[in-house]
Amino acid sequence: MTRTSKAWWFSALVGFIVFCFSFPAFSRTIRVGVYHNPPMVFQDAGGKITGFYPRLLEYIAQKEGWTIEYRFDTFSNHLQHLKNGEIDLLTCIAYSSERARMFDFSEETVWLNWGTVYTHPSIAIQSFLDLNLQKIFVVSNDIYH
């Protein structure tokens, strides 16, 4: 091998290595389903996705070399998007055994969630028993539904 061909191969090898390392090895775009659920996740007046979950995800993404692509829709639609593989992750999804058969859940709870019943001030509700025979409206496909 001549000196010129060795120099060419060396230059090609260095160029290849520079090219390969100019991109993070595990760089990945994560499609994240979000919906209006303040303060955990919401769209601000300027249309930016913000809240507790986006801040946490952006911190993790920075450490892992991910790019986050937020997709804003309803919770019900996002359940279907997750099932169809159209999104990789859904924020603010409560655990149930039925959902665990379809989706992977983290081992640690990020946020403890609870439900709230709102009524007209003229209606006195003290317990769930007081809801018997009452007309109730809920968010479709929500864990409390």
Side-chain angles (χ1 to χ4, degrees):
M1 193 179 265
T2 67
R3 186 175 187 166
T4 306
S5 65
K6 284 181 184 177
W8 184 88
W9 279 107
F10 179 75
S11 296
L13 179 61
V14 169
F16 179 74
I17 291 170
V18 168
F19 175 77
C20 288
F21 286 100
S22 64
F23 302 100
F26 297 104
S27 180
R28 179 171 177 205
T29 298
I30 307 296
R31 301 165 301 172
V32 178
V34 294
Y35 61 99
H36 187 74
N37 191 3
M40 293 179 273
V41 62
F42 60 98
Q43 246 179 345
D44 68 14
K48 182 180 185 291
I49 302 299
T50 190
F52 177 76
Y53 276 100
R55 289 185 191 131
L56 178 62
L57 284 174
E58 287 161 16
Y59 175 80
I60 294 168
Q62 178 187 13
K63 297 293 184 189
E64 296 295 325
W66 299 342
T67 301
I68 296 177
E69 178 184 300
Y70 290 111
R71 298 189 179 180
F72 194 84
D73 205 338
T74 64
F75 177 78
S76 184
N77 285 345
H78 275 319
L79 280 178
Q80 193 62 45
H81 297 314
L82 189 61
K83 193 182 286 186
N84 295 342
E86 298 166 19
I87 58 174
D88 303 303
L89 190 142
L90 177 56
T91 61
C92 304
I93 176 172
Y95 177 88
S96 74
S97 56
E98 179 184 351
R99 289 177 180 171
R101 287 190 290 275
M102 294 182 285
F103 311 125
D104 289 329
F105 283 82
S106 63
E107 294 293 320
E108 297 293 328
T109 301
V110 175
W111 184 274
L112 184 59
N113 196 4
W114 62 92
T116 304
V117 176
Y118 295 94
T119 67
H120 189 274
S122 66
I123 300 172
I125 302 291
Q126 299 300 316
S127 76
F128 280 111
L129 297 174
D130 295 334
L131 298 174
N132 189 32
L133 302 176
Q134 298 294 319
K135 196 177 281 188
I136 303 171
F137 296 91
V138 296
V139 176
S140 295
N141 295 320
D142 185 71
I143 196 71
Y144 304 110
H145 180 246

